[in-house]
Amino acid sequence: MAETASAENVSAQSTLAQDASAEAGGPGPAAGPIRLVLVDDHRMFRTGVRAELDEVAGDALEIVGEADDAPKAVAVIGATGPQVVLLDVHLPGGGGIEVLKQCLPRLPEVRFLALSVSDAAEDVIGVIRAGARGYVTKSITGAELVDAVRRVAEGDAVFSPRLAGFVLDAFSGTAHAPGPVDQELDRLTGREREVLRLIARGYAYKEIARELVISIKTVETHVSSVLRKLQLSNRYELSRWATDRRLI
């Protein structure tokens, strides 16, 4: 795969990339490889996705840029003019929804595929309403991810099987209207919410670390922070708190 762009070297390229995209009729499906930007706040996860895509797709995909937070993502996407963006939902600097809000008005031809560990209905519906073309979880295989990227590039909507129902309910008008903001839940960062859900589902720290591609020490730090913010004492209370709010 070709050398990728980062947030540090995009400024001088941005105008040229957008002009080239306009002259070519936008970054829609073309005869060459699908141009892809990868946005996730964990470098280890991005490295793993890159290796997996390279092995499975070969020259059919070209990762032209990477970013680890929302502002850098906006800059890299604007500079490189990709066809598809693999976008994490929870990012520093505003999250995936902020990236969509800033990019789509200027680059409506770019297609976004959310790739997240979260399978919570509010996350799925939120990014789809913001303009993403699909949503898949990080349990997806390399071959399935390549197929999802290809289909999104071609204009299809793609969802992990169990998530499609959330979207159908939301857009058919059968989803429950959003309730009042949970002030306690609102104190938690996106990553802390992900850890909370996995703890409530009975995951061990080692399993959470593997699922989120972070260290066990980082998991412990997040759990301690969640317990402190919610004024809870142990994992049992944490699980009960999440169950009461139907976060599992």
Side-chain angles (χ1 to χ4, degrees):
M1 293 184 181
E3 182 180 356
T4 61
S6 65
E8 287 73 17
N9 60 15
V10 297
S11 298
Q13 303 172 24
S14 182
T15 301
L16 291 175
Q18 293 184 34
D19 289 346
S21 174
E23 291 174 5
I34 297 172
R35 294 167 52 81
L36 184 71
V37 164
L38 179 57
V39 180
D40 192 280
D41 59 337
H42 288 86
R43 182 173 59 85
M44 187 182 302
F45 178 76
R46 297 198 310 273
T47 300
V49 170
R50 171 186 284 276
E52 189 76 15
L53 293 179
D54 195 20
E55 179 180 347
V56 175
D59 294 336
L61 295 179
E62 179 187 4
I63 298 180
V64 297
E66 296 184 12
D68 60 6
D69 63 27
K72 291 176 186 175
V74 172
V76 171
I77 292 165
T80 58
Q83 291 165 251
V84 178
V85 177
L86 277 180
L87 181 66
D88 194 10
V89 174
H90 300 295
L91 294 166
I97 289 177
E98 183 63 26
V99 175
L100 289 159
K101 286 180 178 178
Q102 292 197 38
C103 288
L104 283 177
R106 296 185 295 112
L107 300 166
E109 66 279 3
V110 176
R111 287 156 182 164
F112 290 81
L113 174 61
L115 175 62
S116 176
V117 70
S118 172
D119 58 3
E122 63 267 26
D123 287 336
V124 178
I125 293 169
V127 294
I128 297 304
R129 287 195 186 280
R133 293 290 299 174
Y135 193 118
V136 293
T137 61
K138 290 181 178 179
S139 60
I140 194 170
T141 67
E144 289 169 340
L145 182 57
V146 169
D147 182 63
V149 169
R150 176 186 58 77
R151 288 171 58 194
V152 167
E154 292 172 351
D156 290 344
V158 179
F159 300 93
S160 293
R162 69 179 302 272
L163 305 183
F166 297 154
V167 180
L168 289 173
D169 286 347
F171 287 90
S172 67
T174 60
H176 296 295
V181 174
D182 187 321
Q183 296 296 331
E184 289 184 307
L185 184 61
D186 203 44
R187 295 175 194 158
L188 306 182
T189 66
R191 182 61 74 190
E192 288 170 349
R193 294 185 193 190
E194 291 174 341
V195 170
L196 169 62
R197 288 191 181 98
L198 294 176
I199 285 286
R201 291 172 185 169
Y203 281 57
Y205 286 1
K206 183 177 180 180
E207 293 170 322
I208 295 173
R210 183 168 59 248
E211 181 77 13
L212 300 182
V213 198
I214 57 179
S215 70
I216 295 176
K217 182 65 176 177
T218 300
V219 174
E220 293 172 347
T221 299
H222 285 313
V223 171
S224 296
S225 178
V226 171
L227 290 171
R228 184 182 70 255
K229 289 180 179 181
L230 300 181
Q231 298 183 348
L232 301 174
S233 302
N234 52 51
R235 288 184 54 160
Y236 172 75
E237 291 183 359
L238 200 60
S239 296
R240 187 172 60 184
W241 187 93
T243 301
D244 289 344
R245 285 161 175 77
R246 299 180 180 178
L247 299 178
I248 299 180

